[in-house]
Amino acid sequence: MHVQQVPMQRGWYWLRDGFALWRRNPALLSFLAFGYLLILIVVSVFPYIGQLLAFLLMPGLSLGVFNGCRVVDDGHKTGPDILLSGFRHNSQSLLTIGGCYLVGSVFALLITIPVDGGVLVKTVLHGKVDPTLIGSTPSFALAALLAIGMSTPVIMAYWFAPVLAGWWSQPAMKALFFSFYACLRNWRPFLAFGVALMLFGVILPSFALGIIGLLSPTLANLLSVPLLLLLVPIVFASFYVNVRDVLGLPGDAPAAPVA
């Protein structure tokens, strides 16, 4: 495994290449993306332990999605059961990574309590926004910015950790460290990737649906569903593309970035 530093413009094309990968097997990649989300949503419903289980399962499920993307990228065929394939190797490290991600995420929230009196924490725990409560808390925006700032290094440490543990058999702490290092070394393409996601995943679709909604609100509502069904698996496939660019694949030399 070698952490490659890719040029900034390469991040702009990750979404495009994710779309190209999705087109090669849209049924499988769509199933993997929504299967991943559905499992986490269902598990999270269980009281007390649901959120904990969801965090613990995330790395193994993520690895299953990446395994499916890798099979499609290689031009092979596989079944939907590959979603659970991530739990077949180095599962202890994957569970540890999920636990570390949970602890880091909770810490990023708890540190905002002195800023807004716990309003952000209550909002996240309840899963809904209370405009009255937020409106009466001027420091809520500052707390949200602090949470974003504190959670960013946590996400960086997690981003590549599942594949480092699953594909390269790295222990949890080493996987988290090298994931953070890989993201830090490639912050420029990740910045470009974030801009591409915001532009093509949020701004342009919202603008298009808004224009259509002026002519026919019903049609706009109908189009929003297939648009979501299209965007989610493409974004998941683009995550695999940035893994392939930055880390390469097991047994191969790191892929040379091509615009």
Side-chain angles (χ1 to χ4, degrees):
M1 185 274 298
H2 173 72
V3 177
Q4 181 166 318
Q5 186 174 21
V6 300
M8 182 175 184
Q9 63 268 24
R10 182 61 191 145
W12 182 260
Y13 294 108
W14 283 341
L15 195 61
R16 179 202 66 179
D17 290 354
F19 173 67
L21 182 64
W22 172 82
R23 286 183 58 190
R24 295 171 62 177
N25 197 332
L28 176 64
L29 295 190
S30 296
F31 171 83
L32 293 178
F34 286 103
Y36 167 92
L37 295 174
L38 180 61
I39 291 175
L40 293 182
I41 291 172
V42 171
V43 169
S44 298
V45 170
F46 290 95
Y48 306 112
I49 63 170
Q51 291 292 335
L52 171 61
L53 287 176
F55 272 92
L56 294 178
L57 292 175
M58 280 177 63
L61 292 173
S62 298
L63 185 59
V65 174
F66 289 134
N67 287 341
C69 291
R70 186 178 171 189
V71 170
V72 173
D73 192 26
D74 289 339
H76 300 144
K77 294 183 178 180
T78 187
D81 59 311
I82 199 171
L83 178 60
L84 303 179
S85 64
F87 298 99
R88 298 172 188 167
H89 179 68
N90 206 8
S91 57
Q92 182 176 355
S93 291
L94 291 170
L95 290 173
T96 303
I97 289 169
C100 291
Y101 189 34
L102 171 63
V103 171
S105 299
V106 170
F107 176 76
L109 275 178
L110 293 181
I111 204 171
T112 66
I113 292 178
V115 178
D116 67 349
V119 174
L120 178 61
V121 173
K122 293 176 183 177
T123 300
V124 173
L125 291 179
H126 294 161
K128 59 181 179 180
V129 177
D130 186 344
T132 303
L133 183 61
I134 293 176
S136 61
T137 310
S139 57
F140 180 82
L142 178 61
L145 290 174
L146 177 61
I148 293 173
M150 294 301 299
S151 62
T152 297
V154 177
I155 295 172
M156 292 168 64
Y158 173 79
W159 191 265
F160 294 113
V163 293
L164 288 169
W167 291 354
W168 284 278
S169 302
Q170 291 190 356
M173 294 299 107
K174 187 176 180 181
L176 291 166
F177 171 79
F178 277 107
S179 174
F180 180 84
Y181 169 73
C183 289
L184 186 63
R185 194 173 186 214
N186 289 278
W187 68 269
R188 292 179 181 84
F190 272 106
L191 178 62
F193 180 52
V195 172
L197 282 177
M198 183 63 64
L199 179 60
F200 295 106
V202 179
I203 297 177
L204 291 181
S206 299
F207 179 76
L209 290 175
I211 296 298
I212 296 173
L214 294 176
L215 303 175
S216 174
T218 302
L219 179 60
N221 290 331
L222 290 175
L223 289 177
S224 63
V225 175
L227 183 61
L228 182 65
L229 294 176
L230 177 67
L231 284 175
V232 170
I234 291 174
V235 171
F236 272 71
S238 69
F239 294 162
Y240 165 80
V241 174
N242 66 58
V243 169
R244 186 186 62 191
D245 275 5
V246 174
L247 301 180
L249 298 173
D252 300 332
V258 178

